[in-house]
Amino acid sequence: MEIVSQNKCFGGVQTVYSHPSETCGVDMTFAVFMPPQARKQSVPLLWYLSGLTCNHENAMTKGGFQRYAAEHGLAVVFPDTSPRGEGVSDDNAYDLGQGAGFYVNATRAPWKPHFQMYDYIVNELREKLQEALPINGRHGITGHSMGGHGALTIALRNPSLYESVSAFAPIANPTQSDWGRKQLSAYLGDDEASWASYDASILLNDLGWKGDILIDQGADDQFLDLLRPEALTDVIAKKRQPAMIRMQDGYDHSYFFVSSFAEDHVAWHAERLHGNGN
């Protein structure tokens, strides 16, 4: 892990790192905010997974998470959304290829050699952070849009690794949406049965979740039909899953929406990561 940049922030430190990834086969860049409490003790870690076209920088600079993470004693990691660079497959469309890894393990050419974002997040980056930083082993995960999809699917498949999960405007039912069917077909092939393990609505129905879930969705989100929040809320009602789904009047899909509710999500995760929540 090489330091790319480092800045003092709300009494803590915001650092950008680069490292060679065995999982993705290229150098990967990510950002970590360490709160001031980490100077004296290990702290819980909140993962923030970003959406389409984003890299590590978008939420780091626009999300406003650091202030609240410093108040609650949480570290926050902002990974990239895909492998990048020379030799990494890409597409002319904004929603496939570099910047659009969808947090899956690709099994189909030309994506398979590098697009292993599920394993990168769940295994490789987690292990590197635990080894290198004062992280106490309690992890929460959240994300926006494609990253909300990633947060939900990763947590639901790995309940022993995460104490809490939330999402901002997640792609909730990608197997039935144009934000999903295109990418899952490209990365995984045409066998739709293989797509189910990357669909939060299907996973929640099949696996459930050990605790409660927080989801914020802008009621004026311009991509609402692609996100399909109703599919997830139907499963929540059917399974009687403890959850809070908030349709936020007047909010769209932008980082203005994310930053408006960042405080709520950080505080919500802090309660559960510090052992005081559901």
Side-chain angles (χ1 to χ4, degrees), residues 198-214:
Y198 297 109
D199 187 304
S201 296
I202 294 173
L203 289 171
L204 186 61
N205 183 70
D206 292 348
L207 303 176
W209 173 248
K210 62 184 179 181
D212 54 349
I213 300 169
L214 172 63

Side-chain angles (χ1 to χ4, degrees), residues 40-55:
K40 297 181 179 180
Q41 63 189 35
S42 60
V43 296
L45 177 64
L46 177 61
W47 293 74
Y48 180 92
L49 305 186
S50 293
L52 288 166
T53 75
C54 294
N55 58 24

Side-chain angles (χ1 to χ4, degrees), residues 14 48 50 52-66 68 78 144 254-262:
Q14 177 66 65
Y48 180 92
S50 293
L52 288 166
T53 75
C54 294
N55 58 24
H56 68 279
E57 188 174 11
N58 298 77
M60 179 185 77
T61 58
K62 298 179 181 179
F65 289 90
Q66 294 90 338
Y68 310 118
F78 306 96
H144 173 231
S254 69
Y255 268 98
F256 295 111
F257 157 67
V258 173
S259 62
S260 295
F261 300 101

Side-chain angles (χ1 to χ4, degrees), residues 107-125:
T107 59
R108 190 179 186 186
W111 313 105
K112 183 177 178 180
H114 300 293
F115 282 73
Q116 302 294 314
M117 287 302 296
Y118 177 88
D119 278 350
Y120 176 70
I121 297 295
V122 174
N123 298 314
E124 184 177 17
L125 185 54

Side-chain angles (χ1 to χ4, degrees), residues 173-178 180-181 192 195 199 202 225-226 228:
N173 190 204
T175 62
Q176 302 302 317
S177 168
D178 288 342
R181 294 186 63 83
E192 295 190 19
W195 302 357
D199 187 304
I202 294 173
D225 290 342
L226 293 168
R228 289 183 52 79

